[in-house]
Amino acid sequence: MEDEMDQYLLRLEQAESEIDHLKNQIDVLQDPAKLKASGVVSPEVEKLQTENSKLKYQLNHLKMFLTEEQAKQRTGAISLQLMLEDVFRIAITSAFPQLDNPPVLVTPSAKMADYQCNSAMSLAQQLGSSQGKKVNPREVAQAIVEKLPKADFYEKVEVAGPGFINVFLSKPFVAQEIQTTLTLGVRPPTLPQKKRVVIDFSSPNIAKEMHVGHLRSTIIGESVSRLLEWVGHDVLRINHLGDWGTQFGMLIAHLQDKFPNFLTQTPPISDLQAFYKESKSRFDVDEEFKKRAYQCVVQLQAYEPSHYKAWQMIYKISMNEFNKVYDRLQVTLTDRGESFYQERMKVLMKDLTAKGAVEKDEEGRWVMFVPGFNVPLMMTKSDGGFTYDTSDMACIRQRLEEEKADWILYVVDSGQGTHLTTVFEAARQLGWMDRSKHRVEHVGFGVVLGEDKKKFKTRSGDTVRLVDLLDEGVRRAEAKLKEKERDKVLSPEEMQKAKESVAYGCIKYADLAHNRTKDYVFSFDKMLDDRGNTAAYLLYALTRIRSIARLAKVSPEQLKAAAQTTPVDLSHGSEWKLAKCVLRFPDVVVRILDDLCMHTLCEYLYDLSSVFTEFYENCYCVEKDKQGQIIKVNMSRLLLCEATADTISTAFHILGVTPVDRM
């Protein structure tokens, strides 16, 4: 085994060395200045261009060799779409080496084939422009097909229509991949590079209750975090709390008046929201109180002990309430509020001033103008106090320089888009961020609407508290389960798990199933419907699939043993369709890693469940006699059921949906 590994590494080293040599040759041949410096005269240029084409062809074949060798050592799941993109890229550059960076357009195709390459039409246009004559896309497609390297994962390739290239997968390959999934588990695609990711989401304000406006950030952020962790990235989940500023001066001043002995006796504040409203009312009408509140802010930011102790009390009461919500939603975060950046903001302003990156405006504020943006960042107020802009700049700097983040995500509503883009560009201008090394992006989302298509509020017009929304979800889920008489077959413990699983799963899934960039209408009736693309339907589907082996009296241990020895038969059309659908999961994951739109995963889950239903209706897994006695168990089909259930369970984990054994 060690000898084989040594030979493999030697071959890789030789191939990589050859690739570097060829790249250098191609670099010289493509650069007119280097050609001239080499003393090349014009009659030789055509000969050199031909040589350039040959070198490109050799380079692509060497790259293919490396891809195949690395595939032998892979531990992650295969993305068929990425593999096809690789082989088509090699075929296209081999067929048309004169084209630089030709488009490679490969998509799943549910109608005519399994996958389709649609590059020929755009390539024909490029070739036509360069040659000054019309080029037939079908001829381009045929030329690509002739250059396709041999591979075991497709059995045939056909040119269709005006130049579409249809790809048909190989049944032995798909069957083997299903068996690999059963023996090794549902695995993520292999990452080209593990990244340090910092993701900012949820971010409520201390002393205020979490409301429906925090729902989307919390749910989307948690799901994206789970996905990134599952594929192998190093993820730091940040709860950027609003815990510093004017409102705390107001709260501390009110606390001093209402509970003057708060330093020695913990104040009985059970309803912090009511306490906040009381202090805000005083702040709005009492000028003397307002002055004291501002003074309290100054004292707090100077870390004066009694003021800081008061702040800690308020912070603790508030976080206890937040954590009750996070526990119910199974959300985990590292709390890091604006207070964390207080000293960093001081250092930031010194550095920006020294660099001449800020200037004083007519009102005495220090501002930072960012090229390309009309509105500057306000770095300090006229009284010298820091702002949200100061905090956000200190924040992104800390994440880039201290956390060493490669990838930073802000899961914040779309209305903050311009502000965040300004902060990102400012960080780039200051030299903190390099777009070639860092991926920094705003994961924006729309608002939650009521069924009247207006911003979701209570009947009295107040913002809906998140805890009330969760309680209502549990009540409605329980009513739905009782309507189906599930309370008569489930134990009290099973009933409790089922109603919470349905309620929280449906609330999360209803959000994630919508394109995050759009507003969406919140409806308990729709999300609890056990038909269509809902968590209720999918939870029932998974429970039903898991029950098939149990009803066939096949234990998990027997299934595991069968996965090692029983070939997966895909001779029936419905078996073949289901197996291919299961293998699409890595393709879906790769796509979401690019755009971070979780609704793609929800659509895939619904599609997979629908394809499974078709399979189950057409393919008997267990045959029984008239007396209901089992006479035959089709182990291959049970294995397909298991692969489907494992895939759905993995997707549920990513979405934060908790399945139950019985519903």
Side-chain angles (χ1 to χ4, degrees):
M1 184 68 184
E2 287 184 6
D3 290 342
E4 287 181 14
M5 182 59 72
D6 289 341
Q7 290 173 10
Y8 164 73
L9 292 172
L10 180 62
R11 291 200 306 275
L12 276 185
E13 187 177 338
Q14 290 170 341
E16 287 171 346
S17 176
E18 182 67 15
I19 284 174
D20 288 338
H21 175 67
L22 290 172
K23 278 182 175 177
N24 288 333
Q25 287 185 266
I26 290 170
D27 185 42
V28 170
L29 293 171
Q30 287 181 323
D31 190 328
K34 289 181 181 177
L35 282 173
K36 187 175 180 181
S38 302
V40 176
V41 292
S42 57
E44 295 176 293
V45 170
E46 187 175 348
K47 180 182 175 182
L48 284 167
Q49 286 176 336
T50 302
E51 181 66 18
N52 183 22
S53 298
K54 290 179 181 177
L55 287 170
K56 275 191 175 181
Y57 183 77
Q58 292 175 36
L59 178 60
N60 284 320
H61 271 281
L62 280 166
K63 283 182 176 178
M64 185 62 184
F65 164 75
L66 280 176
T67 300
E68 289 173 349
E69 289 296 307
Q70 288 162 350
K72 292 174 186 176
Q73 306 298 316
R74 69 182 174 86
T75 56
I78 283 177
S79 166
L80 290 167
Q81 185 167 341
L82 288 184
M83 286 177 64
L84 283 166
E85 286 176 1
D86 284 344
V87 297
F88 272 104
R89 185 174 292 106
I90 289 165
I92 290 168
T93 53
S94 298
F96 307 104
Q98 69 272 35
L99 296 177
D100 289 324
N101 299 317
V104 182
L105 309 172
V106 177
T107 58
S109 175
K111 295 181 180 179
M112 302 302 296
D114 298 317
Y115 288 86
Q116 193 173 77
C117 177
N118 301 325
S119 298
M121 280 70 79
S122 57
L123 288 171
Q125 288 182 339
Q126 284 187 33
L127 291 164
S129 298
S130 62
Q131 296 173 12
K133 62 180 182 180
K134 191 172 182 180
V135 176
N136 187 335
R138 276 189 68 92
E139 293 177 2
V140 173
Q142 191 59 48
I144 294 169
V145 169
E146 289 171 3
K147 295 293 184 180
L148 277 174
K150 290 181 180 179
D152 62 354
F153 63 94
Y154 54 83
E155 64 178 25
K156 67 175 180 176
V157 181
E158 295 177 346
V159 177
F164 302 118
I165 303 174
N166 289 329
V167 181
F168 299 84
L169 296 176
S170 157
K171 279 188 181 177
F173 174 84
V174 171
Q176 182 57 52
E177 283 302 303
I178 292 294
Q179 217 135 16
T180 302
T181 297
L182 288 162
T183 54
L184 298 182
V186 180
R187 296 154 299 145
T190 302
L191 288 174
Q193 182 184 4
K194 180 180 175 179
K195 293 185 177 181
R196 170 67 164 168
V197 184
V198 175
I199 178 166
D200 178 326
F201 67 99
S202 194
S203 307
N205 290 315
I206 293 292
K208 294 183 181 179
E209 287 188 292
M210 291 181 74
H211 55 77
V212 73
H214 298 111
L215 183 67
R216 299 208 76 184
S217 177
T218 304
I219 289 172
I220 295 168
E222 174 67 18
S223 185
V224 171
S225 297
R226 285 170 176 246
L227 173 67
L228 297 178
E229 288 165 346
W230 183 68
V231 301
H233 290 304
D234 175 19
V235 180
L236 174 61
R237 302 136 162 263
I238 294 291
N239 198 6
H240 188 72
L241 298 158
D243 68 349
W244 210 243
T246 303
Q247 73 269 33
F248 289 96
M250 182 177 80
L251 285 161
I252 292 168
H254 189 53
L255 182 70
Q256 290 170 339
D257 291 346
K258 195 163 184 177
F259 303 103
N261 61 342
F262 73 90
L263 288 173
T264 56
Q265 185 176 343
T266 302
I269 305 173
S270 57
D271 189 343
L272 194 57
Q273 183 77 1
F275 189 81
Y276 177 87
K277 287 180 179 179
E278 289 173 11
S279 64
K280 183 68 168 67
S281 297
R282 292 183 67 189
F283 185 84
D284 290 341
V285 299
D286 187 337
E287 283 299 319
E288 187 59 36
F289 180 80
K290 183 182 286 190
K291 287 178 183 177
R292 278 184 53 222
Y294 283 132
Q295 289 168 359
C296 285
V297 175
V298 173
Q299 292 295 313
L300 171 62
Q301 295 185 350
Y303 297 100
E304 192 282 319
S306 65
H307 289 77
Y308 192 69
K309 176 78 180 290
W311 174 82
Q312 287 179 309
M313 286 180 178
I314 295 165
Y315 184 97
K316 186 176 180 180
I317 294 168
S318 198
M319 284 308 305
N320 285 341
E321 295 305 311
F322 292 165
N323 287 330
K324 289 176 186 176
V325 173
Y326 291 139
D327 288 345
R328 292 174 73 173
L329 291 174
Q330 294 183 308
V331 170
T332 55
L333 284 152
T334 296
D335 300 322
R336 189 176 287 174
E338 293 164 347
S339 58
F340 177 81
Y341 302 97
Q342 175 67 17
E343 295 306 309
R344 289 170 176 82
M345 287 189 279
K346 293 177 183 176
V347 173
L348 171 68
M349 286 309 300
K350 285 181 182 177
D351 292 347
L352 294 181
T353 305
K355 280 186 175 182
V358 290
E359 58 186 79
K360 218 168 198 180
D361 69 6
E362 295 176 354
E363 297 179 29
R365 302 172 300 188
W366 285 97
V367 297
M368 178 179 177
F369 285 93
V370 182
F373 296 88
N374 295 325
V375 179
L377 294 171
M378 187 170 72
M379 302 306 293
T380 67
K381 294 180 283 189
S382 56
D383 63 1
F386 296 137
T387 69
Y388 287 120
D389 291 351
T390 333
S391 172
D392 285 342
M393 287 299 293
C395 176
I396 194 170
R397 185 186 195 183
Q398 191 273 339
R399 292 170 184 180
L400 288 164
E401 296 183 353
E402 295 180 44
E403 299 297 345
K404 307 296 183 188
D406 306 299
W407 191 359
I408 305 177
L409 300 171
Y410 290 77
V411 186
V412 182
D413 70 87
S414 296
Q416 297 295 313
T418 302
H419 166 69
L420 287 172
T421 307
T422 310
V423 169
F424 300 163
E425 180 58 20
R428 192 188 72 80
Q429 293 282 343
L430 290 165
W432 305 339
M433 183 174 79
D434 182 344
R435 294 197 188 279
S436 66
K437 298 176 182 176
H438 303 115
R439 180 176 172 181
V440 180
E441 57 193 303
H442 174 207
V443 183
F445 53 84
V447 299
V448 182
L449 303 175
E451 295 189 68
D452 58 359
K453 304 294 175 69
K454 295 179 181 178
K455 207 165 184 179
F456 193 34
K457 292 184 179 293
T458 63
R459 289 182 180 179
S460 62
D462 293 331
T463 303
V464 178
R465 298 194 318 160
L466 201 43
V467 68
D468 291 339
L469 183 141
L470 296 179
D471 289 344
E472 179 67 13
V474 171
R475 281 193 294 271
R476 293 193 182 219
E478 183 177 25
K480 195 83 174 178
L481 289 164
K482 286 182 176 178
E483 183 184 308
K484 294 178 175 292
E485 300 187 333
R486 304 310 299 159
D487 56 319
K488 295 180 180 178
V489 295
L490 298 176
S491 69
E493 293 78 12
E494 288 174 330
M495 186 68 177
Q496 182 67 26
K497 286 182 180 178
K499 70 184 183 183
E500 289 182 358
S501 171
V502 171
Y504 305 150
C506 285
I507 289 169
K508 292 178 183 180
Y509 193 89
D511 188 311
L512 297 170
H514 289 83
N515 186 327
R516 62 173 169 77
T517 62
K518 311 290 184 185
D519 298 344
Y520 90 96
V521 175
F522 188 96
S523 167
F524 275 120
D525 291 337
K526 288 180 181 176
M527 69 177 62
L528 290 168
D529 196 339
D530 56 7
R531 298 161 296 175
N533 188 12
T534 66
Y537 167 74
L538 292 167
L539 283 163
Y540 282 123
L542 178 59
T543 304
R544 189 168 62 248
I545 297 169
R546 289 289 193 206
S547 71
I548 295 169
R550 190 166 60 245
L551 294 173
K553 296 181 170 52
V554 176
S555 68
E557 292 73 24
Q558 288 172 308
L559 275 173
K560 192 172 182 179
Q564 304 284 345
T565 57
T566 305
V568 177
D569 182 8
L570 303 177
S571 54
H572 192 286
S574 294
E575 294 170 326
W576 176 228
K577 186 176 179 181
L578 178 59
K580 288 188 294 183
C581 194
V582 169
L583 289 199
R584 274 180 44 217
F585 182 55
D587 289 349
V588 172
V589 170
V590 168
R591 178 177 169 184
I592 300 170
L593 287 172
D594 180 52
D595 63 19
L596 302 176
C597 287
M598 305 305 299
H599 70 277
T600 305
L601 181 55
C602 298
E603 289 169 358
Y604 166 75
L605 268 180
Y606 182 57
D607 187 29
L608 179 59
S609 298
S610 302
V611 171
F612 178 84
T613 299
E614 179 187 323
F615 156 80
Y616 192 65
E617 289 172 352
N618 295 324
C619 301
Y620 287 113
C621 298
V622 182
E623 293 184 35
K624 297 181 179 181
D625 59 20
K626 292 181 179 178
Q627 286 73 42
Q629 297 299 310
I630 296 172
I631 56 175
K632 182 182 178 183
V633 173
N634 188 315
M635 189 59 74
S636 170
R637 288 175 179 172
L638 280 187
L639 290 175
L640 263 179
C641 294
E642 188 71 4
T644 304
D646 287 348
T647 303
I648 294 173
S649 293
T650 302
F652 273 173
H653 166 74
I654 292 168
L655 296 171
V657 175
T658 304
V660 288
D661 294 331
R662 299 185 68 202
M663 283 185 66

